Amino acid sequence: MATTRLVFFVGGAGAGKTTLAKALARRRKMAVLDMDTLLRPAADALMANAGLDPSDRDSDAYKRLCRDLGYRITMDAALENVGNGIDAVVIGPFTKEIADPKWLDQELAKLGEARLTVEVKAIFVYLPDHQHHYERIHERGLAMDRYKLDHWEAFSQSLIRREIDWDLPDNAVLYYNNSKPISEQTLVLLEQFVYGTKGEKEAAKHADLANAGDAPDAGAGTP
């Protein structure tokens, strides 16, 4: 029975998780489930109806009105795709979710027997410091980033490198320092990690080489 891949790209704002995920998806013709994109119409409406800034994606009000809805929409779409045998990348911070060891299994249980054919990989994309995040966020110039930049001192505290506490084998988790421009070597690394073209150990080796000097601890497994 063919294996279907469900790949999570998680991490803080500005780390480049969406760019990496889309590059891999384009290479392998995977479905792309980006929480920002899927939630945007509902979030805009909910925030506007509450008399709040529809571009806000970080305030306590946004988290109360929209956050959980966004993850539910995203995961429903992801599960529908992999349940039909379509490889998918899922993109979002998943801050609360990756800290819950039971969350992933609870989601996958919704697939029923199709769960047996799904292989999960998780990639935590990070940058070496807050300044790198600030520069990336400032340069992209998105309206939804205004709150982040206006409240940088508080917001930047969320940009820490976090452990993924899901019940996954070490070779299914990759911590990737994305401070360098995306190259062919980057895409080869991601493809090998997800699809095992030359095995996960080889992918981990390339992760170390790709990030040498910037992130000697980047690679597969627990940091």
Side-chain angles (χ1 to χ4, degrees), residues 3-24:
T3 299
T4 305
R5 270 77 176 188
L6 175 60
V7 186
F8 290 86
F9 281 79
V10 303
K17 53 189 180 291
T18 300
T19 303
L20 284 173
K22 287 183 176 180
L24 175 65

Side-chain angles (χ1 to χ4, degrees), residues 7-66:
V7 186
F8 290 86
F9 281 79
V10 303
K17 53 189 180 291
T18 300
T19 303
L20 284 173
K22 287 183 176 180
L24 175 65
R26 190 178 306 116
R27 195 175 178 102
R28 281 287 187 157
K29 310 301 182 187
M30 307 168 79
V32 176
L33 294 316
D34 183 349
M35 191 187 75
D36 284 342
T37 301
L38 294 172
L39 177 60
R40 186 174 297 123
D44 287 353
L46 286 168
M47 294 294 282
N49 288 342
L52 301 168
D53 180 1
S55 66
D56 170 16
R57 292 296 182 271
D58 297 284
S59 68
D60 289 341
Y62 165 80
K63 292 173 183 176
R64 183 179 69 253
L65 291 171
C66 305

